[in-house]
Amino acid sequence: MTRLHGIVPYLVSPIDPETGAVRTDVLTRLVTDLVAAGVHGVSPLGTTGETPYLTAAQRAAIVETTVVAAGGRVPVVPGVVATATADAVEQALRYQEAGAAALVVIRQPGLPTSEAGIEAFYLAVADAVEIPLVLYTNPGATGVDIPFEVIRRLAAHPQINYLKDASGVTGRVLDAIVSVGDDLQVFSASAHIPAVVLRLGGVGWMAGPACAIPRASVALYDLAVAGEWDAAFELQRVLWPINQLFQRYGIAACVKAAVTLRGYDVGPPLAPQTPLSPAATAEIAAALAAIDERVAP
Amino acid sequence: MTRLHGIVPYLVSPIDPETGAVRTDVLTRLVTDLVAAGVHGVSPLGTTGETPYLTAAQRAAIVETTVVAAGGRVPVVPGVVATATADAVEQALRYQEAGAAALVVIRQPGLPTSEAGIEAFYLAVADAVEIPLVLYTNPGATGVDIPFEVIRRLAAHPQINYLKDASGVTGRVLDAIVSVGDDLQVFSASAHIPAVVLRLGGVGWMAGPACAIPRASVALYDLAVAGEWDAAFELQRVLWPINQLFQRYGIAACVKAAVTLRGYDVGPPLAPQTPLSPAATAEIAAALAAIDERVAP
Amino acid sequence: MTRLHGIVPYLVSPIDPETGAVRTDVLTRLVTDLVAAGVHGVSPLGTTGETPYLTAAQRAAIVETTVVAAGGRVPVVPGVVATATADAVEQALRYQEAGAAALVVIRQPGLPTSEAGIEAFYLAVADAVEIPLVLYTNPGATGVDIPFEVIRRLAAHPQINYLKDASGVTGRVLDAIVSVGDDLQVFSASAHIPAVVLRLGGVGWMAGPACAIPRASVALYDLAVAGEWDAAFELQRVLWPINQLFQRYGIAACVKAAVTLRGYDVGPPLAPQTPLSPAATAEIAAALAAIDERVAP
Amino acid sequence: MTRLHGIVPYLVSPIDPETGAVRTDVLTRLVTDLVAAGVHGVSPLGTTGETPYLTAAQRAAIVETTVVAAGGRVPVVPGVVATATADAVEQALRYQEAGAAALVVIRQPGLPTSEAGIEAFYLAVADAVEIPLVLYTNPGATGVDIPFEVIRRLAAHPQINYLKDASGVTGRVLDAIVSVGDDLQVFSASAHIPAVVLRLGGVGWMAGPACAIPRASVALYDLAVAGEWDAAFELQRVLWPINQLFQRYGIAACVKAAVTLRGYDVGPPLAPQTPLSPAATAEIAAALAAIDERVAP
């Protein structure tokens, strides 16, 4: 079983705005290029992938295309984005069947649920599949959280091996590492500072921006693994402005704009989202250029 | 074109917890009995209907069953529950085709969206169908709101005729009545006090509790229409404890418990929700009994 | 012991922006004119009074001036605005000594506090004085709330007789009336709709706007007391736009602007608040003029 | 002018719960011992000091006692805790007069304020004094924040030299360091991970827990200054559980419990706060013991 680690870009979902068709050729080229740039995995159907906006058919097409494009060279880790337990289990089985190496379980908020219900949701998915799961928490932006005592109990399940916290509150990451670090390995989100999470014992960075700056992201990870922390933190400061922009303008719209600037015709963010303004797009172009000067794209 | 008004119960979604099948016989009996009790419409696929937990196939089966059971005697007003504009339009067309008399448009929160994007979402649905729309706002529980200036502009569309605000902040209802009352007619939610909204000029009550107390709900509406306000407010005080319980224990779990107590085998709330405790169920039974003493069920 | 009821304006605090001195002459004239207009009490040191911005000396001067100006013709009901229990008790004793007829207890948020601590806070004040208390809740704007079970227990204290809820969620008012209506009488805030709260059994309206529209406010109350509800609700719709403006632009800045327009030189809102824009002031002037057409000021 | 840096404990406020008198002897001994333990400054009247619960007289006594006890060996950095601009300026002048070396400006939330008003608040304090200011932001717990553009402009003032962000969102710290790091030096709060903030370029840790673990806190800082990061992060993991407890049980109650365990009779948290339970106190005792094993107290 592959151990997940390193740079795992959350993929954008290239969709034709008129027909709703997945642009499989664009997605294939993006995944192929990311693998060539050295990323350690790819994650379709996350928040960056605008998954709540996608139909079941679009989701299936995206996973299948990604698995074929990755060609077994890196693990494919799709997001299971669901409100109902039954839907989560069904998605998990479908993506495992399609070749996913692991799954990020992104529970969607719904009606009020007891702690027992939350725990049962994750256990149902874990029991249904044979591949590892990444727990996902994001109390701020999406209101989805898992009480810490539940995380502690879920960590004992052999299939539940990773945690991706998108709160931006780095103390939560250290809580997990100190308390359940033997059972769960932690990934940084873009809301955190990847070099910091790696320094604290995290194993990688799952994030949308790596779609647009894969080589610089890999360089950061390599410095961390080599223990060259002064260089890692210096590079982190160079990369940080792109995180700032993505926080300010919204992750999916920003990554789509950045990837479009990189030459992939992924289309606009899905309606009712609206595309970035020209001014915001120019800010992103400038931030990318500053990073490119440091690490050739 | 029917003018929506009066008591419009939000229907629960009777689902077999093992198979996921819609219990069409239970739903048919519930709708038939509600119509016999005098309700003025029925609304499947709202929050009470646990719609975010339902697959597209389950939603379609519920609308079709409801339309057949209503048999043209009262309007069927399904909820369009969607994050993406394209999905909302598709649902709207499907439910119109299935015989819906109107639609409640319940936009789901997603990634950050501009005011223009929000407005375009509703206009896309309104332009796609020929039946009236009910706008839905619920800034507290679900985080879905529409800026007031957007409501004002949407109200000018010939298809956008009603507003259902579930905030519980009654001043918002009066804002709408004072500002756009000529274009939009207002329904009370259970978070509001129906007698109050009717007194202020509202046209009815769309709400889950009416599944369990349809005759008492119709009695309240009839008193309001007759201008017998002292009696209406006195009855409101008798009915209010059921709203209090539904606020405390969660709307879908409560209405399913209450409707089960009334003899309809609608099943438990959909996982990961968990059923009410026996103590909470007993509180609901007591509240129903107190209402039954006043208005025979 | 006076029973509080009717229109009780929350007074603005006229302060010289250069010296910090209370403009006692302006405050005296305002109180005198309000009493002449028929209000049933006056309440200095509430939210409208910008109390958290005032020193202990300013607060004392305001209560003393108000008591003298009221001259025993109407009760003076100052706000006790405090974070610490000891400070609340001290203020309560000082204002009772100065001639207050009752007190509004406006606990300020501080560090996290247990339910027992919250209950003890109110009991300490109630036990210290011999005049009645008004409980104040405002979960939205100021984050100060009292758990409902605590309200229920506090209501049993002989000195705790009134509740002023500023949430805008009218169901909370009905909760109180249905559950503890025998022990606590309820006042409407401006966030609620006064005619609605009176219709549900409330006893009056404690609010900043009545500083600027006292005669119209008293007219509304008189219609309600006379049971002329159609006329009361019609007048309410005429008055409502002033509430809308006050919600939009902030209560203290708005009431100071409105009272200044009425000819009282109360000064700007206290820094770091900033005065209303000329455009917002013009909106308020227009709303006042529309009300004046209906009820002569 | 002293450059603030290193470990600056937020002091608890030892108050006799019966009389309200400041226990100046306890405070003197605490400050003396902290200085002997090597701390680089002391900060009375912060959140840990329960400042919103204190009268002006209590605040003055605490600053004076602290200045005398510090005896010029380390800078005293009191908190200016105020809602009104005038009050903030008055406190700032009073504490400067009493011997403060710098001030932490902790604006308290009040009525809605424009961005210009917020900026003017800080400038008024900065213009009034001749000692440096620390800006304080805490959007979560206290709802006090400063828009980033305002921070950027304030940073240009010669007196505004430091930023203490208590959000726990470490990306905010990096935002400041990357954007205004030449003008503002950054301190870690306990909600952050001090070793992380130091690694990113922060200059110290202002925090309540250092009252109870001063030598361990200084050891962490010394390792960071020496560039011994592996050892610093290892020690950070040993210290982290005390931060977890303080987050869980509330900062002031926890620090008072911890300092009491250390032998200083600082009294209970100020009412309406309630003391920690025996179980929580035992958890704190265990966490202190675990740290003591590593760094002798």
Side-chain angles (χ1 to χ4, degrees), chain A residues 58-126:
Chain A
Q58 288 169 327
R59 298 186 197 195
I62 285 170
V63 172
E64 284 156 25
T65 301
T66 304
V67 167
V68 170
R73 291 165 296 170
V74 300
V76 175
V77 191
V80 166
V81 175
T83 302
T85 306
D87 185 21
V89 168
E90 194 179 308
Q91 288 183 36
L93 288 169
R94 190 182 311 136
Y95 303 156
Q96 175 180 261
E97 174 74 21
L103 299 166
V104 188
V105 184
I106 305 174
R107 191 170 65 84
Q108 295 293 286
L111 294 157
T113 308
S114 68
E115 199 169 291
I118 292 173
E119 185 169 352
F121 177 94
Y122 293 99
L123 290 177
V125 178

Side-chain angles (χ1 to χ4, degrees), chain B residues 61-75:
Chain B
I62 286 170
V63 172
E64 284 155 26
T65 301
T66 304
V67 167
V68 170
R73 290 165 297 170
V74 300

Side-chain angles (χ1 to χ4, degrees), chain B residues 64 152 163 220 240 269 285:
Chain B
E64 284 155 26
R152 194 190 296 273
L163 173 67
L220 179 70
W240 187 247

Side-chain angles (χ1 to χ4, degrees), chain B residues 170 175 199 230 240 244, chain C residues 170 175 199 229-230 240 244:
Chain B
T170 313
D175 285 350
R199 191 60 175 97
D230 285 344
W240 187 247
Q244 288 179 298
Chain C
T170 312
D175 285 351
R199 191 62 175 96
W229 291 107
D230 286 345
W240 187 247
Q244 287 180 299

Side-chain angles (χ1 to χ4, degrees), chain A:
Chain A
M1 191 166 76
T2 325
R3 192 181 72 78
L4 295 185
H5 68 281
I7 301 301
V8 182
Y10 277 131
L11 302 175
V12 293
S13 296
I15 303 282
D16 184 298
E18 298 306 316
T19 66
V22 176
R23 289 175 171 166
T24 54
D25 55 334
V26 175
L27 181 56
T28 296
R29 189 160 65 85
L30 177 63
V31 172
T32 305
D33 292 351
L34 289 170
V35 173
V39 304
H40 307 86
V42 288
S43 184
L45 302 183
T47 304
T48 303
E50 304 168 278
T51 312
Y53 297 77
L54 300 176
T55 64
Q58 288 169 327
R59 298 186 197 195
I62 285 170
V63 172
E64 284 156 25
T65 301
T66 304
V67 167
V68 170
R73 291 165 296 170
V74 300
V76 175
V77 191
V80 166
V81 175
T83 302
T85 306
D87 185 21
V89 168
E90 194 179 308
Q91 288 183 36
L93 288 169
R94 190 182 311 136
Y95 303 156
Q96 175 180 261
E97 174 74 21
L103 299 166
V104 188
V105 184
I106 305 174
R107 191 170 65 84
Q108 295 293 286
L111 294 157
T113 308
S114 68
E115 199 169 291
I118 292 173
E119 185 169 352
F121 177 94
Y122 293 99
L123 290 177
V125 178
D127 287 344
V129 295
E130 292 166 13
I131 52 180
L133 303 187
V134 184
L135 299 177
Y136 176 90
T137 51
N138 191 348
T142 66
V144 172
D145 206 358
I146 310 175
F148 199 76
E149 284 312 304
V150 174
I151 289 179
R152 193 190 296 273
R153 289 196 297 270
L154 291 174
H157 193 286
Q159 234 77 32
I160 300 179
N161 302 148
Y162 304 94
L163 174 66
K164 159 83 188 289
D165 172 77
S167 69
V169 178
T170 313
R172 287 169 58 107
V173 168
L174 189 53
D175 285 352
I177 290 173
V178 167
S179 305
V180 292
D182 292 342
D183 288 320
L184 289 186
Q185 292 188 297
V186 173
F187 275 89
S188 183
S190 289
H192 290 288
I193 304 162
V196 163
V197 174
L198 294 168
R199 191 62 175 96
L200 292 171
V203 298
W205 182 20
M206 302 188 76
C211 282
I213 50 167
R215 283 191 167 78
S217 301
V218 170
L220 179 70
Y221 178 72
D222 287 345
L223 288 170
V225 168
E228 297 185 26
W229 291 107
D230 285 345
F233 278 100
E234 200 210 332
L235 179 55
Q236 178 67 80
R237 286 177 67 140
V238 175
L239 301 189
W240 187 246
I242 203 88
N243 294 49
Q244 288 179 300
L245 290 171
F246 288 10
Q247 297 274 341
R248 187 179 318 153
Y249 295 121
I251 186 73
C254 271
V255 181
K256 277 197 157 168
V259 171
T260 301
L261 287 167
R262 291 308 203 186
Y264 302 90
D265 189 14
V266 295
L270 300 175
Q273 294 174 88
T274 42
L276 289 197
S277 69
T281 306
E283 280 187 79
I284 289 175
L288 291 178
I291 292 170
D292 293 350
E293 269 183 43
R294 175 64 182 265
V295 179

Side-chain angles (χ1 to χ4, degrees), chain C residues 12-272:
Chain C
V12 293
S13 295
I15 303 282
D16 184 298
E18 298 305 316
T19 66
V22 176
R23 290 177 171 165
T24 54
D25 56 333
V26 175
L27 181 57
T28 297
R29 190 159 64 86
L30 177 62
V31 172
T32 305
D33 291 352
L34 290 170
V35 173
V39 303
H40 306 86
V42 287
S43 183
L45 302 183
T47 304
T48 303
E50 303 168 278
T51 312
Y53 296 77
L54 300 177
T55 64
Q58 288 169 327
R59 297 185 197 196
I62 285 170
V63 172
E64 284 155 26
T65 301
T66 305
V67 168
V68 170
R73 291 165 296 170
V74 301
V76 175
V77 191
V80 166
V81 175
T83 303
T85 305
D87 185 22
V89 168
E90 194 179 307
Q91 288 183 37
L93 288 170
R94 191 180 313 136
Y95 304 156
Q96 176 179 260
E97 174 74 21
L103 298 167
V104 187
V105 185
I106 305 175
R107 192 170 63 85
Q108 295 293 287
L111 294 157
T113 306
S114 68
E115 200 169 292
I118 293 172
E119 186 169 352
F121 177 93
Y122 294 98
L123 290 177
V125 178
D127 287 343
V129 295
E130 291 166 14
I131 53 181
L133 302 188
V134 183
L135 299 178
Y136 176 90
T137 50
N138 191 348
T142 66
V144 172
D145 206 358
I146 310 175
F148 199 76
E149 284 311 305
V150 175
I151 290 179
R152 193 190 298 272
R153 290 196 297 270
L154 291 173
H157 192 287
Q159 235 76 31
I160 299 178
N161 302 148
Y162 304 94
L163 174 66
K164 159 82 187 288
D165 172 78
S167 68
V169 178
T170 312
R172 288 170 57 107
V173 167
L174 189 54
D175 285 351
I177 290 173
V178 167
S179 305
V180 292
D182 291 342
D183 289 319
L184 289 185
Q185 292 188 297
V186 173
F187 275 88
S188 182
S190 288
H192 290 287
I193 304 161
V196 163
V197 174
L198 294 170
R199 191 62 175 96
L200 292 172
V203 298
W205 182 21
M206 301 188 78
C211 283
I213 51 166
R215 282 192 168 77
S217 301
V218 169
L220 178 70
Y221 178 73
D222 287 345
L223 288 170
V225 168
E228 297 185 26
W229 291 107
D230 286 345
F233 278 99
E234 200 210 333
L235 179 55
Q236 178 66 81
R237 286 176 66 140
V238 174
L239 301 189
W240 187 247
I242 203 87
N243 293 48
Q244 287 180 299
L245 290 171
F246 287 11
Q247 298 273 341
R248 188 180 316 155
Y249 294 122
I251 187 74
C254 271
V255 180
K256 277 198 156 167
V259 171
T260 301
L261 287 166
R262 291 308 202 187
Y264 303 90
D265 188 13
V266 295
L270 300 176

